[in-house]
Amino acid sequence: MKELLRTNDPTVVAFAKALLEGENIGVFEMDVHMSVLEGGIGIMPRRLMVVDRDLFLAKSVLRDNGIEVSD
């Protein structure tokens, strides 16, 4: 799996997941439960991961919708 996106903004994560699922691209969200360790203040970024073969298409979908992706 490759990292597609890393952000502290939960709205960006939700929007990106919806876009990718709409294109039938499987996405896995990491670091979802880190708020337990950080006290819920949102300092730990969440990451979206996709399988290697979907990375190019997933990046294209997010960029086309104004979401910055990881390099």
Side-chain angles (χ1 to χ4, degrees):
M1 295 195 93
K2 299 286 186 178
E3 182 178 312
L4 176 65
L5 174 68
R6 182 185 297 234
T7 182
N8 292 5
D9 190 344
T11 60
V12 171
V13 171
F15 183 47
K17 282 177 63 176
L19 289 170
L20 295 172
E21 289 169 359
E23 295 289 332
N24 292 320
I25 298 172
V27 61
F28 182 76
E29 187 176 353
M30 296 183 72
D31 307 320
V32 177
H33 301 290
M34 290 301 290
S35 63
V36 172
L37 298 175
E38 68 183 22
I41 59 176
I43 59 170
M44 298 292 288
R46 292 185 182 180
R47 296 176 287 162
L48 290 184
M49 310 291 283
V50 295
V51 294
D52 297 355
R53 69 177 177 270
D54 291 336
L55 184 62
F56 180 77
L57 179 60
K59 283 185 175 185
S60 296
V61 168
L62 295 186
R63 284 183 183 137
D64 289 347
N65 287 279
I67 299 175
E68 236 180 271
V69 295
S70 299
D71 289 327

Coordinates of all heavy atoms in Angstrom, one line a residue:
M1 N 0.8 -1.2 0.0 CA 0.0 0.0 0.0 C 0.9 1.2 0.0 O 2.0 1.2 0.6 CB -0.9 0.0 1.2 CG -1.9 -1.1 1.2 SD -3.3 -0.9 2.4 CE -4.4 -0.1 1.3
K2 N 0.4 2.3 -0.6 CA 1.1 3.5 -0.7 C 0.3 4.6 -0.1 O -1.0 4.6 -0.1 CB 1.3 3.9 -2.2 CG 2.2 2.9 -2.9 CD 3.6 3.0 -2.5 CE 4.4 2.1 -3.4 NZ 5.8 2.2 -3.1
E3 N 1.0 5.6 0.5 CA 0.3 6.7 1.1 C -0.2 7.7 0.1 O 0.6 8.1 -0.8 CB 1.2 7.5 2.1 CG 0.6 8.6 2.8 CD 1.5 9.3 3.8 OE1 2.2 8.6 4.6 OE2 1.6 10.6 3.7
L4 N -1.4 8.0 0.1 CA -2.0 8.9 -0.9 C -2.2 10.3 -0.3 O -2.0 11.3 -1.0 CB -3.4 8.4 -1.3 CG -4.2 9.2 -2.2 CD1 -3.5 9.3 -3.6 CD2 -5.6 8.6 -2.4
L5 N -2.6 10.4 1.0 CA -2.9 11.7 1.6 C -2.6 11.7 3.0 O -2.8 10.6 3.7 CB -4.4 11.9 1.4 CG -5.1 13.1 2.0 CD1 -4.6 14.4 1.4 CD2 -6.6 13.0 1.9
R6 N -2.2 12.8 3.6 CA -1.9 12.9 5.0 C -2.4 14.3 5.4 O -2.0 15.3 4.9 CB -0.4 12.8 5.3 CG 0.0 12.9 6.8 CD 1.4 12.9 6.9 NE 2.0 11.7 6.5 CZ 2.8 10.9 7.2 NH1 3.1 11.2 8.4 NH2 3.3 9.8 6.7
T7 N -3.4 14.3 6.3 CA -4.0 15.6 6.8 C -4.5 15.5 8.2 O -4.9 14.4 8.6 CB -5.1 16.1 5.8 OG1 -5.6 17.3 6.2 CG2 -6.2 15.1 5.7
N8 N -4.7 16.7 8.8 CA -5.3 16.8 10.1 C -6.8 17.1 10.0 O -7.5 17.1 11.0 CB -4.7 17.9 10.9 CG -3.2 17.6 11.3 OD1 -2.7 16.6 10.9 ND2 -2.7 18.5 12.1
D9 N -7.2 17.5 8.8 CA -8.6 17.9 8.5 C -9.5 16.7 8.3 O -9.4 16.1 7.2 CB -8.6 18.9 7.4 CG -9.9 19.6 7.2 OD1 -10.9 19.1 7.8 OD2 -10.0 20.6 6.4
P10 N -10.4 16.4 9.2 CA -11.3 15.2 9.0 C -12.3 15.4 7.8 O -12.7 14.4 7.2 CB -12.0 15.1 10.3 CG -11.9 16.4 11.0 CD -10.6 17.0 10.5
T11 N -12.6 16.7 7.5 CA -13.5 16.9 6.3 C -12.8 16.5 5.0 O -13.4 16.0 4.1 CB -14.0 18.3 6.3 OG1 -12.9 19.2 6.2 CG2 -14.8 18.6 7.5
V12 N -11.5 16.8 4.9 CA -10.8 16.4 3.7 C -10.7 14.9 3.6 O -10.8 14.4 2.5 CB -9.4 17.1 3.7 CG1 -8.5 16.5 2.6 CG2 -9.4 18.6 3.6
V13 N -10.5 14.2 4.7 CA -10.4 12.8 4.7 C -11.7 12.2 4.2 O -11.8 11.3 3.3 CB -10.0 12.2 6.1 CG1 -10.2 10.7 6.1 CG2 -8.6 12.6 6.4
A14 N -12.8 12.7 4.7 CA -14.2 12.2 4.4 C -14.5 12.5 2.9 O -15.0 11.6 2.2 CB -15.2 12.8 5.2
F15 N -14.1 13.7 2.4 CA -14.4 14.0 1.0 C -13.5 13.1 0.1 O -14.0 12.6 -0.9 CB -14.1 15.5 0.8 CG -14.3 16.0 -0.6 CD1 -15.5 15.7 -1.3 CD2 -13.4 16.8 -1.3 CE1 -15.7 16.2 -2.5 CE2 -13.6 17.3 -2.5 CZ -14.8 17.0 -3.2
A16 N -12.2 13.0 0.4 CA -11.4 12.1 -0.4 C -11.8 10.7 -0.4 O -11.8 10.1 -1.5 CB -9.9 12.2 0.2
K17 N -12.2 10.2 0.7 CA -12.7 8.8 0.7 C -14.0 8.6 -0.1 O -14.1 7.7 -0.9 CB -13.1 8.4 2.2 CG -11.8 8.0 3.0 CD -12.2 7.7 4.4 CE -13.0 6.4 4.5 NZ -13.3 6.0 5.9
A18 N -14.9 9.6 -0.1 CA -16.1 9.6 -0.9 C -15.8 9.6 -2.4 O -16.4 8.8 -3.2 CB -17.0 10.7 -0.5
L19 N -14.8 10.5 -2.7 CA -14.4 10.5 -4.2 C -13.8 9.2 -4.6 O -14.2 8.7 -5.7 CB -13.4 11.7 -4.4 CG -13.9 13.1 -4.2 CD1 -12.8 14.1 -4.2 CD2 -14.9 13.4 -5.4
L20 N -12.9 8.7 -3.8 CA -12.3 7.4 -4.2 C -13.2 6.2 -4.3 O -13.2 5.4 -5.2 CB -11.1 7.1 -3.3 CG -10.0 8.2 -3.3 CD1 -9.0 7.9 -2.2 CD2 -9.3 8.2 -4.7
E21 N -14.1 6.2 -3.3 CA -15.1 5.1 -3.3 C -16.1 5.2 -4.5 O -16.5 4.2 -5.0 CB -15.8 5.0 -2.0 CG -14.9 4.6 -0.8 CD -15.5 4.8 0.6 OE1 -16.7 5.3 0.7 OE2 -14.8 4.4 1.5
G22 N -16.4 6.4 -4.9 CA -17.2 6.7 -6.1 C -16.5 6.2 -7.3 O -17.2 5.9 -8.3
E23 N -15.2 6.1 -7.4 CA -14.5 5.6 -8.5 C -14.1 4.2 -8.3 O -13.2 3.6 -9.1 CB -13.2 6.5 -8.7 CG -13.5 7.9 -9.1 CD -14.0 8.1 -10.5 OE1 -13.7 7.2 -11.3 OE2 -14.8 9.0 -10.7
N24 N -14.6 3.5 -7.3 CA -14.3 2.1 -7.0 C -12.8 1.8 -6.7 O -12.3 0.8 -7.2 CB -14.8 1.2 -8.1 CG -16.3 1.1 -8.2 OD1 -17.0 1.1 -7.2 ND2 -16.8 1.1 -9.4
I25 N -12.2 2.8 -6.1 CA -10.8 2.7 -5.6 C -10.9 2.4 -4.1 O -11.4 3.1 -3.3 CB -10.0 4.0 -5.9 CG1 -10.0 4.2 -7.4 CG2 -8.6 3.8 -5.3 CD1 -9.4 5.6 -7.7
G26 N -10.3 1.2 -3.8 CA -10.3 0.8 -2.4 C -9.3 1.7 -1.6 O -8.2 2.0 -2.0
V27 N -9.8 2.2 -0.4 CA -9.0 3.1 0.4 C -9.0 2.6 1.8 O -10.0 2.2 2.3 CB -9.5 4.6 0.2 CG1 -10.9 4.7 0.7 CG2 -8.6 5.6 0.9
F28 N -7.8 2.8 2.5 CA -7.7 2.4 3.9 C -7.3 3.6 4.7 O -6.3 4.2 4.4 CB -6.7 1.2 4.1 CG -6.6 0.7 5.5 CD1 -7.6 0.0 6.0 CD2 -5.5 1.1 6.2 CE1 -7.5 -0.5 7.3 CE2 -5.4 0.7 7.5 CZ -6.4 -0.1 8.1
E29 N -8.0 3.9 5.7 CA -7.7 5.1 6.6 C -6.9 4.6 7.8 O -7.3 3.8 8.5 CB -9.0 5.8 7.0 CG -8.7 7.1 7.7 CD -10.0 7.8 8.1 OE1 -11.1 7.3 7.6 OE2 -9.9 8.8 8.8
M30 N -5.7 5.2 7.9 CA -4.8 4.9 9.0 C -4.8 6.0 10.1 O -5.1 7.1 9.8 CB -3.4 4.6 8.5 CG -3.3 3.4 7.6 SD -1.7 3.0 7.1 CE -1.0 2.4 8.6
D31 N -4.5 5.6 11.3 CA -4.3 6.6 12.4 C -5.7 7.2 12.8 O -5.7 8.3 13.4 CB -3.3 7.7 12.1 CG -2.0 7.2 11.6 OD1 -1.5 6.2 12.2 OD2 -1.4 7.8 10.6
V32 N -6.7 6.5 12.6 CA -8.1 6.9 13.0 C -8.2 7.1 14.5 O -8.8 8.0 15.0 CB -9.2 6.0 12.4 CG1 -10.5 6.4 12.9 CG2 -9.1 5.9 10.9
H33 N -7.7 6.1 15.2 CA -7.9 6.1 16.7 C -6.8 6.8 17.5 O -6.6 6.6 18.7 CB -8.1 4.7 17.1 CG -9.2 4.0 16.5 ND1 -10.5 4.3 16.7 CD2 -9.3 3.1 15.5 CE1 -11.3 3.6 16.0 NE2 -10.6 2.8 15.2
M34 N -6.0 7.6 16.8 CA -4.9 8.3 17.5 C -5.4 9.4 18.4 O -4.7 9.8 19.3 CB -3.9 8.9 16.5 CG -3.1 7.8 15.7 SD -2.1 6.8 16.8 CE -0.9 7.9 17.4
S35 N -6.6 9.8 18.3 CA -7.2 10.8 19.1 C -7.2 10.4 20.6 O -7.2 11.2 21.5 CB -8.6 11.2 18.7 OG -9.5 10.1 18.8
V36 N -7.2 9.1 20.8 CA -7.2 8.5 22.2 C -5.8 8.9 22.8 O -5.8 9.3 24.0 CB -7.3 7.0 22.2 CG1 -7.1 6.4 23.6 CG2 -8.7 6.6 21.7
L37 N -4.8 8.9 22.1 CA -3.4 9.2 22.6 C -3.2 10.7 22.7 O -2.5 11.2 23.5 CB -2.4 8.6 21.7 CG -2.4 7.0 21.7 CD1 -1.3 6.6 20.7 CD2 -2.1 6.5 23.1
E38 N -3.8 11.4 21.8 CA -3.5 12.9 21.7 C -4.5 13.7 22.5 O -4.4 14.9 22.6 CB -3.5 13.4 20.3 CG -4.8 13.3 19.6 CD -4.8 13.7 18.1 OE1 -3.8 13.7 17.5 OE2 -5.9 14.1 17.7
G39 N -5.6 13.1 23.0 CA -6.6 13.8 23.8 C -7.6 14.5 23.0 O -8.3 15.3 23.4
G40 N -7.8 14.1 21.7 CA -8.8 14.6 20.8 C -8.6 16.0 20.3 O -9.5 16.7 19.8
I41 N -7.3 16.5 20.3 CA -7.1 17.9 19.9 C -6.7 17.9 18.4 O -6.6 19.0 17.8 CB -6.0 18.6 20.7 CG1 -4.7 17.8 20.7 CG2 -6.5 18.8 22.1 CD1 -3.6 18.5 21.5
G42 N -6.5 16.8 17.7 CA -6.3 16.8 16.3 C -5.0 17.1 15.8 O -4.8 17.7 14.7
I43 N -3.9 16.8 16.6 CA -2.6 17.2 16.1 C -1.9 16.1 15.3 O -1.0 16.3 14.6 CB -1.6 17.5 17.3 CG1 -1.5 16.4 18.3 CG2 -2.1 18.8 18.0 CD1 -0.5 16.5 19.3
M44 N -2.4 14.8 15.4 CA -1.9 13.7 14.6 C -2.6 13.6 13.3 O -3.8 13.5 13.3 CB -2.1 12.4 15.4 CG -1.3 12.4 16.8 SD 0.4 12.4 16.6 CE 0.7 10.8 16.0
P45 N -1.9 13.7 12.2 CA -2.5 13.6 10.9 C -3.0 12.2 10.6 O -2.5 11.2 11.1 CB -1.4 14.0 9.9 CG -0.2 13.7 10.6 CD -0.4 13.9 12.1
R46 N -4.1 12.1 9.9 CA -4.6 10.8 9.4 C -4.1 10.6 8.0 O -3.8 11.5 7.3 CB -6.2 10.8 9.3 CG -6.8 10.9 10.7 CD -8.3 10.8 10.6 NE -8.9 10.9 11.9 CZ -10.2 10.9 12.1 NH1 -11.0 10.8 11.0 NH2 -10.7 11.0 13.3
R47 N -3.9 9.3 7.6 CA -3.4 9.0 6.3 C -4.4 8.1 5.6 O -5.0 7.2 6.2 CB -2.1 8.2 6.5 CG -1.0 9.0 7.1 CD 0.3 8.2 7.3 NE 0.0 7.3 8.5 CZ 0.8 6.2 8.7 NH1 1.8 5.9 7.9 NH2 0.5 5.4 9.7
L48 N -4.4 8.3 4.3 CA -5.2 7.5 3.4 C -4.3 6.7 2.6 O -3.3 7.2 2.0 CB -6.1 8.3 2.5 CG -7.3 9.0 3.1 CD1 -8.2 9.7 2.1 CD2 -8.2 8.0 3.9
M49 N -4.5 5.4 2.5 CA -3.6 4.5 1.8 C -4.4 3.8 0.7 O -5.6 3.5 0.8 CB -3.1 3.4 2.7 CG -2.4 3.9 4.0 SD -0.9 4.8 3.7 CE 0.2 3.5 3.5
V50 N -3.7 3.5 -0.5 CA -4.3 2.8 -1.6 C -3.3 1.7 -2.0 O -2.1 1.9 -1.8 CB -4.7 3.7 -2.8 CG1 -5.8 4.6 -2.4 CG2 -3.6 4.4 -3.3
V51 N -3.8 0.7 -2.7 CA -2.9 -0.3 -3.2 C -2.1 0.3 -4.4 O -2.5 1.3 -5.0 CB -3.6 -1.6 -3.7 CG1 -4.3 -2.3 -2.5 CG2 -4.6 -1.3 -4.8
D52 N -0.9 -0.2 -4.6 CA 0.0 0.4 -5.6 C -0.6 0.6 -7.0 O -0.4 1.6 -7.6 CB 1.3 -0.5 -5.7 CG 2.1 -0.7 -4.4 OD1 1.7 0.0 -3.4 OD2 3.0 -1.4 -4.4
R53 N -1.4 -0.4 -7.4 CA -1.9 -0.3 -8.8 C -2.9 0.8 -8.9 O -3.2 1.3 -10.1 CB -2.5 -1.6 -9.2 CG -3.7 -2.0 -8.5 CD -4.3 -3.3 -9.0 NE -5.5 -3.7 -8.3 CZ -5.5 -4.4 -7.2 NH1 -4.4 -4.9 -6.7 NH2 -6.6 -4.7 -6.5
D54 N -3.5 1.3 -7.8 CA -4.5 2.4 -7.9 C -4.0 3.7 -7.6 O -4.7 4.7 -7.7 CB -5.7 2.1 -6.9 CG -6.5 0.9 -7.3 OD1 -6.5 0.5 -8.5 OD2 -7.1 0.3 -6.4
L55 N -2.7 3.8 -7.3 CA -2.1 5.1 -6.8 C -2.2 6.2 -7.9 O -2.7 7.3 -7.6 CB -0.6 4.9 -6.4 CG 0.1 6.1 -5.8 CD1 -0.6 6.6 -4.6 CD2 1.5 5.8 -5.6
F56 N -1.9 5.9 -9.1 CA -1.9 7.0 -10.2 C -3.3 7.5 -10.4 O -3.5 8.7 -10.4 CB -1.3 6.4 -11.5 CG -1.3 7.4 -12.6 CD1 -0.4 8.4 -12.6 CD2 -2.3 7.4 -13.6 CE1 -0.4 9.4 -13.7 CE2 -2.3 8.3 -14.6 CZ -1.4 9.3 -14.6
L57 N -4.3 6.6 -10.5 CA -5.7 7.0 -10.7 C -6.2 7.8 -9.5 O -6.9 8.8 -9.6 CB -6.5 5.8 -11.0 CG -8.0 6.1 -11.2 CD1 -8.2 7.1 -12.4 CD2 -8.8 4.8 -11.5
A58 N -5.9 7.3 -8.3 CA -6.4 7.9 -7.1 C -5.8 9.4 -6.9 O -6.5 10.3 -6.6 CB -6.0 7.1 -5.8
K59 N -4.5 9.5 -7.2 CA -3.9 10.9 -7.2 C -4.6 11.8 -8.2 O -4.9 13.0 -7.9 CB -2.4 10.8 -7.5 CG -1.6 10.4 -6.3 CD -0.1 10.4 -6.7 CE 0.7 10.1 -5.5 NZ 2.1 10.3 -5.7
S60 N -4.9 11.3 -9.4 CA -5.6 12.1 -10.4 C -7.0 12.5 -10.0 O -7.3 13.7 -10.2 CB -5.7 11.3 -11.7 OG -4.4 11.0 -12.2
V61 N -7.7 11.6 -9.4 CA -9.1 11.9 -8.9 C -9.0 13.0 -7.9 O -9.8 14.0 -7.9 CB -9.8 10.7 -8.3 CG1 -11.0 11.0 -7.6 CG2 -10.0 9.7 -9.5
L62 N -8.1 12.9 -6.9 CA -8.0 13.9 -5.8 C -7.5 15.2 -6.3 O -8.1 16.3 -6.0 CB -7.2 13.4 -4.7 CG -7.7 12.2 -3.9 CD1 -6.8 11.9 -2.7 CD2 -9.1 12.3 -3.5
R63 N -6.5 15.2 -7.2 CA -6.0 16.5 -7.8 C -7.1 17.2 -8.6 O -7.2 18.4 -8.5 CB -4.8 16.3 -8.6 CG -3.6 16.0 -7.8 CD -2.3 15.8 -8.7 NE -1.2 15.5 -7.9 CZ -0.3 14.6 -8.2 NH1 -0.4 13.9 -9.4 NH2 0.7 14.4 -7.5
D64 N -7.9 16.5 -9.3 CA -8.9 17.0 -10.2 C -10.0 17.7 -9.3 O -10.7 18.6 -9.8 CB -9.6 16.0 -11.0 CG -8.7 15.5 -12.2 OD1 -7.7 16.2 -12.4 OD2 -9.0 14.5 -12.8
N65 N -10.1 17.3 -8.0 CA -11.1 17.9 -7.1 C -10.5 18.8 -6.1 O -11.1 19.1 -5.1 CB -11.8 16.7 -6.4 CG -12.8 16.1 -7.4 OD1 -13.9 16.6 -7.6 ND2 -12.4 15.0 -7.9
G66 N -9.2 19.3 -6.4 CA -8.6 20.3 -5.5 C -8.0 19.8 -4.2 O -7.8 20.6 -3.3
I67 N -7.7 18.5 -4.1 CA -7.1 18.0 -2.9 C -5.6 17.7 -3.1 O -5.3 17.0 -4.1 CB -7.8 16.7 -2.4 CG1 -9.3 17.0 -2.1 CG2 -7.1 16.1 -1.2 CD1 -10.1 15.8 -1.8
E68 N -4.8 18.3 -2.3 CA -3.3 18.0 -2.4 C -3.0 16.6 -1.9 O -3.4 16.2 -0.9 CB -2.6 19.1 -1.5 CG -1.6 19.9 -2.3 CD -0.9 20.9 -1.4 OE1 -1.4 22.0 -1.3 OE2 0.1 20.5 -0.8
V69 N -2.2 15.9 -2.7 CA -1.8 14.6 -2.4 C -0.4 14.5 -1.9 O 0.4 15.4 -2.3 CB -2.1 13.6 -3.5 CG1 -3.6 13.5 -3.8 CG2 -1.3 14.0 -4.8
S70 N 0.0 13.4 -1.3 CA 1.4 13.2 -0.9 C 2.2 12.8 -2.1 O 1.7 12.2 -3.0 CB 1.5 12.0 0.1 OG 0.7 12.3 1.3
D71 N 3.5 13.2 -2.1 CA 4.4 12.9 -3.2 C 5.0 11.5 -3.0 O 5.3 11.0 -2.1 CB 5.5 13.9 -3.3 CG 4.9 15.2 -3.8 OD1 4.0 15.2 -4.6 OD2 5.5 16.3 -3.5

